[in-house]
Amino acid sequence: MIEIKQLVTGPVEENCYFIYNDESMLIVDPGEDEVEIKRIVEELGRKPVAILLTHTHYDHIGAVETIRHTYDIPVYVHPIEQEWLGNPTLNLSGRHPGMKDIVVAPAEHEFELKDYTLGGMTFKVVVHTPGHSPGSVSFIFPEARFVVSGDALFAGSVGRSDLPFGDGKQLLEVIKSELFTLPKDYAVYPGHRGASTIGKEIETNPFFRS
């Protein structure tokens, strides 16, 4: 059985997720609160096996280096944003006065469009849910019937497209083609805000009303 736990991190309230079965754990988008992330890992009592990144904006990668070295686990990212990990201008940490530059070592693995099995958990990477950022991906867990949508689809909203390399038209199109084609009962766990379902977003999300 696959379960998921949400942790809200940092000043922009980014969602870090812990996806786990009886033995293993995947950590998605570890934001800057490394102390709380480690506390939850210990609380859940599962072995971390990988860090999965939906994209590489600063609020989603702040604790990557600490967590990867604490648990000696690899990082997975879309190849388009591999360079962004080590570039504060691209990951946007360099845009904020008073914020330290975030520089993360290259990810060990670059996502392909295929099914992955890590720690006994199988999920599908939708390689492109871009529009918020060009290398944004979403993770679909069919067994548990949920999708982790990153900063593409939110409860009642969508990700920003006014940041560098954003594309609002592309974002709406890819949500409709890649996410709204999932079963309506699938839960949606976004990069910010609370959870929703595919059906609820199809019916009520104001960005998709004709």
Side-chain angles (χ1 to χ4, degrees), residues 21-122:
N21 57 17
D22 290 341
E23 298 180 356
S24 304
M25 173 189 299
L26 305 169
I27 301 174
V28 179
D29 291 356
E32 67 179 60
D33 197 344
E34 59 195 48
V35 172
E36 190 65 7
I37 291 171
K38 288 190 283 188
R39 185 192 69 78
I40 290 179
V41 170
E42 298 307 311
E43 174 187 291
L44 293 174
R46 273 70 168 183
K47 177 181 174 55
V49 296
I51 294 170
L52 311 181
L53 300 178
T54 63
H55 65 298
T56 61
H57 285 156
Y58 71 91
D59 49 323
H60 294 256
I61 64 171
V64 167
E65 285 296 86
T66 297
I67 299 305
R68 85 196 302 181
H69 292 299
T70 298
Y71 301 106
D72 191 23
I73 55 177
V75 176
Y76 288 72
V77 72
H78 189 281
I80 288 178
E81 295 189 17
Q82 173 74 273
E83 179 187 355
W84 294 33
L85 288 167
N87 187 320
T89 299
L90 293 173
N91 67 41
L92 305 185
S93 60
R95 287 167 48 102
H96 295 270
M99 177 185 291
K100 66 177 182 180
D101 287 349
I102 295 177
V103 178
V104 176
E108 288 80 2
H109 301 283
E110 296 181 351
F111 283 123
E112 301 175 38
L113 179 57
K114 66 177 187 179
D115 291 350
Y116 284 79
T117 299
L118 299 172
M121 293 172 280
T122 297

Side-chain angles (χ1 to χ4, degrees), residues 3 20 30 35 38 42 70-72 75 81 84 101 129 133 142 146 153 155 161 178 180 191 193 203 205:
E3 299 184 71
Y20 56 96
V35 172
K38 288 190 283 188
E42 298 307 311
T70 298
Y71 301 106
D72 191 23
V75 176
E81 295 189 17
W84 294 33
D101 287 349
T129 43
S133 73
F146 67 74
L153 178 63
S161 58
E178 299 288 2
F180 282 180
R193 302 189 177 200
E203 295 169 7
N205 193 303

Side-chain angles (χ1 to χ4, degrees), residues 122-191:
T122 297
F123 62 97
K124 179 179 181 180
V125 178
V126 176
V127 169
H128 264 167
T129 43
H132 174 69
S133 73
S136 288
V137 295
S138 297
F139 309 122
I140 300 168
F141 287 77
E143 177 187 338
R145 302 188 75 77
F146 67 74
V147 56
V148 179
S149 61
D151 283 6
L153 178 63
F154 298 149
S157 189
V158 298
R160 291 178 61 177
S161 58
D162 61 337
L163 298 171
F165 308 103
D167 185 326
K169 182 175 183 290
Q170 182 184 43
L171 179 62
L172 298 183
E173 289 175 348
V174 79
I175 289 172
K176 288 189 287 187
S177 65
E178 299 288 2
L179 300 181
F180 282 180
T181 52
L182 294 171
K184 291 184 178 181
D185 68 319
Y186 268 42
V188 177
Y189 292 100

